[in-house]
């Protein structure tokens, strides 16, 4: 409930929000951060390397939400294939699940999910050339909160 | 002819290859590392793809990524440029096995010429004079010492797999032999992964003369004269010219005929360069063969009027050479200065950084091959050459005068460059006289650096670590 309120607040560019429901009152303050600093948005990538700047993250998003976003970046050069069961946005994935394949000369490189989570967005199409450092997927890390 | 090729290189040579491709209607695929995202070759090519991080071994030397990209982009052939993978036998071989044409010689030829002692043996058997010294690689210091005495000191200890002066030591007296032999061996091992070395006679006043050849797949071989490359610092060429001021027509013909004979014998194909040392009495000795396009190829292009990159493409595509040896006629004189991002005042230390202003020279008979521009950042990850200035004239003096004027006009602010050094050499009476050897730079270096240091500081050089041409 509070998270939804916070998201709505950020989406509408409110810095503060106070709500009173009967005897309960609540004040929310947007978490300040420098939107030009990618480390403030995505401070920890783990197995998913940071590199591309084209990830559309709401500029004033909640830090804890931003923390959950994980970019999957291409480390190999070749052609992308999604396989027989292509992943789709919104789909849940587990650590190690194959998200797609990069095929090159004499190799086939499986792109594995670096975390348990949900596919937020897909940034590559079937048969497209994959260059080094290209963002392929954006995942939302699953947490126990 | 090829419709689409991949250029497995960066910088000015990638730009140079793109220019010929554009003229010939060949589509180009450029590759770049993360450090080269804003590079000129990336902007100029029809397509460009990132192939790895800044480190060369993970990008420009990354064979799986290069070939995977060639396949993904439907290229027919790969031009390796110079440096990087251009003389890598494995790369040439894998390229061919993957179904692409390697624009260069066969893997076999690269492999044989890359092993300096093998190349020396082959050349000797083909009738090319070689420097007196060991026939094969030496493993043992005692054997090396015995041979050095036989040849007579001073001797050079050189890496069997080497080049560019790495793994090479000059031994002037017997007492130094053991330590310098071992140093060469260990340097060769760390630089090339191969500690084998050989010993050869050292000439006191040698000139570096090289012969450019083109050989097609139909058995035709032509030589496009010589290049004089004696102005070197630590075995790195700084100034090259064509023709050489000291070659007589008879000696030139003899060197070209010898080279053509050897190229036939080793069944070499595509463009190549055979390097010789020339002594004061007109004797020449084989040094090595470079199985690629040379950095200094423009001086040959300016004097003979042929586009060497185009010839590489035509040969690789299986076409027969249309240039006959009798058509190869030198016209005038050309000189090239390699401008590096280096601080001459500080022992030629690399001077990477952002170029705040780049104003290249122009006008008739001046050519600039470069890949930098105002706002470009010279990366510390790669070699320091930022431009090649080439000037042509009907004779040597007019070519040098035009070079002097071009260097004066050339302004690069924001980084230090070797432009002032080149101007001093171009104006130096010994260089002007044509009476010099590979000792020129070592002999005059201190005086040249002192002259640069004593120049009045310009506004640019005070405020920025830049050195523009001396006024």
């Amino acid at each position: 409930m509070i998270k939804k309120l916070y998201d709505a607040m950020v989406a509408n560019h409110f810095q503060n929000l106070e709500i009173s429901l009967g005897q309960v009152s609540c004040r929310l303050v947007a978490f300040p951060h420098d939107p030009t600093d990618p480390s403030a948005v995505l401070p920890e990538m783990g197995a998913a390397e940071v590199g591309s700047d084209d990830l559309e993250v709401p500029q004033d998003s909640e830090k804890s939400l931003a923390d959950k976003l994980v970019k999957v970046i291409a480390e190999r050069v070749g052609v992308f294939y999604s396989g027989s069961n292509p992943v789709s946005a919104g789909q849940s994935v587990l650590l190690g699940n194959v998200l797609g394949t990069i095929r090159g000369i004499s190799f086939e490189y499986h792109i594995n999910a670096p975390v348990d989570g949900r596919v937020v967005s897909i940034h590559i199409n079937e048969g497209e050339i994959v260059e080094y450092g290209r963002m392929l997927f954006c995942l939302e890390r699953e947490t126990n909160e | 002819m090829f419709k689409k090729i991949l250029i497995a290189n960066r910088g000015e040579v990638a730009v140079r290859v793109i220019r010929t491709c554009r003229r010939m209607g060949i589509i180009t695929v450029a590759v770049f590392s993360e450090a080269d995202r804003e590079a000129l070759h990336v902007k100029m090519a029809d397509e460009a793809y990132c192939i790895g991080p800044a480190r060369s071994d993970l990008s420009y030397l990354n064979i799986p990524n290069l070939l995977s990209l060639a396949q993904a982009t439907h290229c027919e052939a790969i031009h390796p440029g110079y440096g990087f993978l251009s003389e890598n036998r494995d790369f040439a071989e894998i390229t061919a096995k993957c179904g692409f044409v390697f624009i260069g010689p066969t893997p076999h030829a690269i492999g044989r010429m890359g092993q300096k002692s093998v190349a020396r043996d082959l050349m000797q058997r083909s009738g090319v004079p070689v420097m007196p010294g060991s026939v094969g690689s030496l493993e043992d210091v005692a054997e090396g010492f015995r041979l050095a005495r036989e040849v007579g000191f001073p001797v050079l200890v050189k890496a069997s797999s080497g080049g560019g002066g790495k793994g090479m030591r000059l031994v002037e007296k017997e007492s130094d032999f053991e330590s310098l032999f071992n140093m060469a061996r260990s340097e060769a091992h760390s630089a090339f992964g191969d500690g084998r070395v050989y010993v050869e006679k050292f000439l006191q006043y040698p000139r570096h003369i090289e012969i450019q050849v083109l050989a097609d797949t139909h058995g035709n071989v032509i030589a496009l004269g010589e290049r004089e490359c004696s102005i070197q610092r630590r075995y790195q060429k700084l100034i090259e010219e064509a023709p050489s001021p000291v070659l007589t027509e008879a000696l030139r013909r003899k060197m070209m005929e010898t080279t053509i004979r050897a190229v036939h014998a080793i069944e070499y194909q595509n463009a190549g360069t055979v390097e010789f040392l020339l002594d004061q009495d007109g004797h020449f000795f084989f040094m090595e063969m470079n199985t690629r396009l040379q950095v200094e190829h423009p001086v040959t292009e300016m004097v003979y009027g042929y586009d060497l990159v185009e010839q590489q493409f035509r040969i690789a595509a299986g076409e027969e050479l249309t240039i006959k040896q009798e058509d190869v006629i030198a016209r005038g004189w050309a000189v090239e200065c390699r401008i590096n991002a280096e601080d001459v005042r500080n022992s030629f230390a690399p001077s990477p950084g952002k170029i705040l202003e780049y104003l290249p020279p122009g006008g008739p008979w001046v050519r600039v091959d470069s890949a930098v521009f105002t706002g470009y950042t010279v990366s510390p990850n790669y070699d320091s050459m930022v431009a090649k200035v080439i000037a042509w004239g009907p004779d040597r003096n007019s070519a040098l005068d035009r070079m002097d004027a071009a260097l004066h006009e050339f302004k690069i602010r924001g980084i230090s460059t070797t432009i002032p050094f080149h101007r001093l050499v171009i104006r130096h009476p010994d260089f002007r006289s044509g009476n010099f050897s590979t000792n020129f730079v070592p002999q005059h270096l201190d005086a040249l650096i002192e002259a640069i240091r004593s120049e009045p500081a310009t506004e640019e050089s005070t405020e920025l670590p830049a050195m523009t041409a001396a006024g």
Side-chain angles (χ1 to χ4, degrees):
Chain A
M1 169 68 179
I2 290 175
K3 185 176 180 306
K4 280 184 182 169
L5 276 174
Y6 185 91
D7 288 347
M9 183 187 96
V10 169
N12 290 289
H13 306 289
F14 288 111
Q15 295 296 314
N16 292 284
L17 185 68
E18 275 191 65
I19 297 167
S20 295
L21 293 168
Q23 292 184 326
V24 181
S25 70
C26 170
R27 183 165 182 258
L28 297 174
V29 180
F31 187 82
H33 70 81
D34 177 6
T36 62
D37 178 8
S39 65
V41 180
L42 300 168
E44 186 198 333
M45 284 299 118
E49 296 71 12
V50 188
S52 176
D53 294 326
D54 53 2
L55 175 58
E56 288 178 15
V57 177
Q59 288 204 340
D60 297 317
S61 66
E62 184 185 7
K63 187 167 185 291
S64 61
L65 174 64
D67 278 354
K68 293 183 190 171
L69 292 179
V70 177
K71 293 180 190 177
V72 181
I73 304 293
E75 293 179 344
R76 304 294 291 263
V77 174
V79 176
F80 177 78
Y81 294 97
S82 51
S84 51
N85 292 308
V87 293
S88 50
Q91 183 181 329
S92 292
V93 291
L94 297 172
L95 171 74
N97 279 174
V98 176
L99 305 175
T101 303
I102 299 172
R103 279 188 212 155
I105 288 264
S106 75
F107 72 83
E108 195 169 281
Y109 178 76
H110 295 305
I111 305 150
N112 299 113
V115 291
D116 289 347
R118 185 178 63 87
V119 177
V120 175
S121 50
I122 301 169
H123 300 262
I124 183 91
N125 296 312
E126 179 79 5
E128 250 188 284
I129 295 172
V130 180
E131 61 181 336
Y132 178 86
R134 174 172 178 162
M135 183 164 72
L136 305 170
F137 300 94
C138 179
L139 307 184
E140 183 185 350
R141 189 196 306 265
E142 188 177 276
T143 60
N144 297 322
E145 286 170 27
Chain B
M1 184 44 63
F2 309 114
K3 289 188 174 61
K4 189 174 185 180
I5 66 139
L6 182 141
I7 302 162
N9 215 304
R10 65 180 296 280
E12 74 87 19
V13 71
V15 169
R16 167 71 191 85
V17 173
I18 290 169
R19 284 186 170 134
T20 291
C21 286
R22 185 140 300 159
R23 189 171 55 72
M24 294 177 75
I26 301 169
I27 298 166
T28 50
V29 174
V31 298
F32 60 94
S33 74
E34 286 182 320
D36 275 342
R37 206 166 280 280
E38 301 302 320
L40 187 60
H41 73 286
V42 175
K43 297 177 201 286
M44 281 181 66
D46 295 300
E47 298 172 30
Y49 300 91
C50 183
I51 49 156
R55 267 176 55 183
S56 305
D57 58 330
L58 301 175
S59 51
Y60 296 106
L61 298 171
N62 187 329
I63 294 175
N65 279 3
L66 286 164
L67 294 179
S68 297
L69 186 65
Q71 187 184 54
T73 53
H74 309 292
C75 286
E76 296 156 86
I78 296 180
H79 195 299
Y82 54 71
F84 291 129
L85 293 165
S86 61
E87 292 181 284
N88 183 313
R89 184 213 149 98
D90 293 343
F91 180 60
E93 190 160 5
I94 299 165
T95 296
K97 280 189 176 155
C98 290
F100 308 107
V101 176
F102 179 80
I103 300 168
T106 60
H108 185 57
I110 295 172
R112 293 205 295 184
M113 292 300 112
Q115 282 287 317
K116 304 303 176 199
S117 55
V118 173
R120 186 179 187 279
D121 291 349
L122 278 167
M123 287 291 165
Q124 192 168 25
R125 277 190 266 139
S126 312
V128 179
V130 299
M131 198 67 72
S134 57
V135 177
S137 300
L138 298 165
E139 298 283 353
D140 178 38
V141 68
E143 188 193 351
F145 184 70
R146 182 187 56 74
L147 203 97
R149 283 184 94 168
E150 200 176 295
V151 166
F153 284 88
V155 296
L156 273 181
V157 181
K158 296 168 87 172
S160 294
S161 303
K166 288 202 174 72
M168 192 189 295
R169 283 291 182 280
L170 168 63
V171 190
E172 293 186 88
K173 48 187 196 289
E174 292 188 4
S175 56
D176 293 340
F177 186 82
E178 187 170 345
S179 65
L180 291 168
F181 183 88
N182 288 331
M183 278 166 73
R185 225 165 30 172
S186 103
E187 191 173 299
H189 189 267
S190 57
F192 312 110
D194 177 1
R196 288 177 298 166
V197 294
Y198 62 100
V199 166
E200 69 179 26
K201 174 116 189 96
F202 176 73
L203 300 181
Q204 293 286 3
Y205 300 103
R207 296 182 80 112
H208 176 123
I209 307 284
E210 58 188 33
I211 304 288
Q212 173 71 55
V213 291
L214 290 173
D216 66 17
T217 53
H218 305 271
N220 302 302
V221 181
I222 58 165
L224 294 165
E226 81 280 10
R227 289 186 289 260
E228 160 82 60
C229 311
S230 299
I231 303 299
Q232 305 181 358
R233 177 178 171 269
R234 297 186 178 171
Y235 304 105
Q236 299 294 327
K237 296 164 190 166
L238 300 177
I239 298 176
E240 304 96 345
E241 56 186 310
S244 163
V246 291
L247 251 60
T248 61
E249 194 49 43
L251 182 54
R252 176 173 300 113
R253 198 173 307 124
K254 189 177 173 189
M255 290 182 79
M256 295 206 314
E257 283 169 2
T258 306
T259 303
I260 289 171
R261 206 165 52 236
V263 168
H264 272 298
I266 62 171
E267 297 178 339
Y268 188 85
Q269 292 167 4
N270 214 287
T273 297
V274 180
E275 296 186 336
F276 296 99
L277 284 181
L278 178 73
D279 75 9
Q280 290 174 300
D281 303 317
H283 301 115
F284 58 93
F285 305 97
F286 172 75
M287 226 181 346
E288 62 183 37
M289 182 167 192
N290 297 132
T291 55
R292 54 170 157 81
L293 186 72
Q294 299 272 99
V295 175
E296 60 272 24
H297 76 276
V299 293
T300 300
E301 292 183 326
M302 300 289 267
V303 166
Y304 289 96
Y306 298 109
D307 178 334
L308 293 184
V309 177
E310 176 186 341
Q311 295 304 319
Q312 286 192 294
F313 282 127
R314 295 199 179 286
I315 293 167
E319 292 182 18
E320 197 164 348
L321 274 172
T322 54
I323 313 164
K324 305 288 174 214
Q325 190 63 55
E326 56 268 28
D327 302 333
V328 178
I329 297 161
R331 185 175 157 271
W333 213 282
V335 59
E336 172 183 277
C337 289
R338 298 189 192 189
I339 309 302
N340 293 337
E342 291 170 357
D343 185 354
V344 178
R345 297 166 205 234
N346 185 18
S347 309
F348 290 81
S351 174
K354 189 169 184 177
I355 294 176
L356 302 177
E357 187 175 38
Y358 177 78
L359 296 171
W365 311 297
V366 173
R367 164 177 168 180
V368 179
D369 281 16
S370 173
V372 307
F373 46 84
T374 300
Y376 177 84
T377 299
V378 178
S379 167
N381 293 297
Y382 311 111
D383 81 276
S384 60
M385 193 173 77
V386 289
K388 303 187 307 201
V389 183
I390 304 105
W392 181 90
D395 52 58
R396 187 167 188 264
N397 265 332
S398 52
L400 295 181
D401 286 346
R402 286 166 182 175
M403 175 60 82
D404 191 25
L407 294 176
H408 178 61
E409 195 181 321
F410 204 169
K411 300 279 187 273
I412 301 179
R413 288 200 309 119
I415 57 167
S416 295
T417 77
T418 53
I419 292 172
F421 178 84
H422 282 281
R423 266 201 100 190
L424 289 174
V425 175
I426 293 294
R427 291 170 158 209
H428 198 283
D430 285 0
F431 180 70
R432 281 280 173 161
S433 73
N435 180 26
F436 55 86
S437 72
T438 57
N439 301 335
F440 177 91
V441 173
Q443 188 186 336
H444 297 292
L445 189 61
D446 290 345
L448 291 169
I449 291 175
E450 196 46 50
I452 290 168
R453 281 189 180 140
S454 64
E455 278 172 15
T458 61
E459 189 188 341
E460 288 88 352
S461 62
T462 322
E463 291 188 355
L464 301 160
M467 290 196 300
T468 53

